Amino acid sequence: MNKKILVTGASGHLGGMLFKAMAKIGYTNLLGTDLKKKNIEKNEKFITANLRNLKSTVKISKGVYAIVHFGAIPVEDTQKNILQNNIIGTYNLFEAARINKVKRVIFASSNHAIGFHRRITRLNEFSMQRPDSHYGLSKAFGEDLSRLYADKFNIKSMCIRIGSCLKKPEDRRHLSTWISYEDLTQLVDIGIKHRSIHHEIVYGVSRNKKSWWNNSRAYKLGYKPKDSSDRFKINLLSKNEYKDKMALLFQGGIFTSKNFKGNIKKIK
Ligand code: 15L
């Protein structure tokens, strides 16, 4: 595809991975952006920008067909940092998309938007958001924001509730939440190219038998995961989960128990 695609977070773990993987599968007009230039090759187009600044966000998204939005703090942080970087950053991104008539946004949502669901509950695209942290709340906000911009301004969007995107699963929770780099790339590609997308919520997870998520919506859109955590023989709990009984109850794991002052029994 030679339409211009902007990838935010292109110096980061997943934004960086996608920036390179998309070039390999035929995207010839990619522009990467991030706060700092890191791991960017000479032949790659890149511009530094701060999404907290609407003016520069508008500038970098001119003439862009679709935005792959992975530029954000990727874990829990202070309320202030999450507000500035993830919430205001994402708001500016969608405003810039509206101003520049960008057609699509692929939003890196997270399982932490639904992290306070119990592990015994099976979820689908209609399941209620249940953020487990300020970080998860920023992802829930991004999902709602993208729905508004789809309904009101016809900016098509796909929100990918990413589980754990790593080279391979590393602990027992990942047997449910793991997605390979290749499978995540496939989902982003579908989000950019599928004809009849309006606003979609899909799960960023490989074909794992132990998954908590019914991802049939993604399969309907053509997702055919190539990977599965089933082939890994992992019986390990992460170090943190060993010590943390609460983390084992909820899908968001250790994000749920951090600073927890509530009543576990009430979170049904
Ligand atoms: C995420 O959203 C984080 O960005 C990542 O660091 C992991 O914590 C992942 O979720 C997960 O839940 O495993």
Side-chain angles (χ1 to χ4, degrees):
M1 169 179 276
N2 58 10
K3 287 178 180 156
K4 189 170 177 184
I5 313 288
L6 176 69
V7 180
T8 73
S11 298
H13 173 212
L14 296 184
M17 179 280 292
L18 287 166
F19 191 45
K20 293 187 189 330
M22 288 172 71
K24 280 196 191 126
I25 60 167
Y27 287 86
T28 54
N29 194 358
L30 293 168
L31 173 64
T33 186
D34 210 314
L35 292 170
K36 285 188 188 143
K37 190 171 178 176
K38 237 172 70 189
N39 302 326
I40 303 294
E41 307 295 329
K42 275 207 181 110
N43 62 333
E44 294 169 335
K45 281 195 209 145
F46 183 91
I47 188 162
T48 44
N50 193 333
L51 303 181
R52 279 177 288 175
N53 183 322
L54 177 60
K55 254 198 190 160
S56 43
T57 311
V58 171
K59 213 164 150 193
I60 59 169
S61 52
K62 280 215 170 82
V64 163
Y65 172 75
I67 304 176
V68 178
H69 179 39
F70 276 64
I73 296 176
V75 286
E76 182 62 322
D77 206 317
T78 62
Q79 206 171 5
K80 189 175 163 216
N81 285 346
I82 295 290
L83 175 67
Q84 292 299 324
N85 292 283
N86 293 19
I87 295 186
I88 295 178
T90 300
Y91 177 73
N92 286 343
L93 195 282
F94 274 88
E95 260 305 276
R98 182 186 66 77
I99 291 165
N100 285 320
K101 301 194 167 45
V102 172
K103 299 280 183 252
R104 289 184 184 216
V105 178
I106 314 306
F107 175 62
S109 185
S110 165
N111 71 88
H112 298 289
I114 41 102
F116 259 135
H117 282 286
R118 288 189 180 249
R119 292 190 181 190
I120 49 169
T121 313
R122 200 164 159 81
L123 306 181
N124 62 20
E125 71 273 25
F126 302 112
S127 301
M128 193 174 67
Q129 295 170 335
R130 264 188 119 160
D132 58 20
S133 48
H134 297 303
Y135 166 71
L137 181 65
S138 75
K139 296 301 183 181
F141 170 78
E143 290 184 358
D144 287 352
L145 183 72
S146 64
R147 190 184 293 279
L148 172 69
Y149 275 63
D151 290 346
K152 194 138 233 174
F153 306 117
N154 206 26
I155 298 174
K156 301 178 188 323
S157 50
M158 181 191 262
C159 302
I160 309 175
R161 287 182 176 163
I162 302 169
S164 308
C165 189
L166 299 161
K167 205 159 171 214
K168 54 187 180 63
E170 292 169 0
D171 62 34
R172 213 169 71 186
R173 176 173 171 274
H174 292 166
L175 294 180
S176 305
T177 59
W178 184 64
I179 179 169
S180 67
Y181 293 141
E182 208 184 335
D183 285 345
L184 182 62
T185 307
Q186 190 192 139
L187 276 174
V188 170
D189 189 44
I190 291 170
I192 293 172
K193 292 181 184 156
H194 197 284
R195 279 169 180 245
S196 57
I197 277 173
H198 175 64
H199 177 266
E200 302 289 341
I201 304 266
V202 297
Y203 287 86
V205 66
S206 287
R207 201 186 289 276
N208 310 335
K209 270 207 192 100
K210 291 202 156 75
S211 172
W212 303 312
W213 309 316
N214 172 348
N215 212 10
S216 54
R217 182 63 200 152
Y219 293 153
K220 267 215 184 98
L221 295 171
Y223 178 46
K224 290 192 184 73
K226 294 217 171 98
D227 281 301
S228 163
S229 65
D230 305 353
R231 66 190 167 92
F232 295 91
K233 294 214 162 22
I234 292 177
N235 226 339
L236 294 175
L237 292 176
S238 74
K239 253 195 209 153
N240 293 329
E241 280 189 323
Y242 262 124
K243 291 184 232 138
D244 186 340
K245 292 238 161 62
M246 178 175 179
L248 294 172
L249 291 175
F250 296 99
Q251 301 192 0
I254 55 170
F255 281 58
T256 59
S257 50
K258 194 170 181 202
N259 301 327
F260 185 73
K261 305 268 184 310
N263 180 347
I264 293 181
K265 285 190 197 133
K266 298 277 177 199
I267 314 169
K268 292 199 178 107

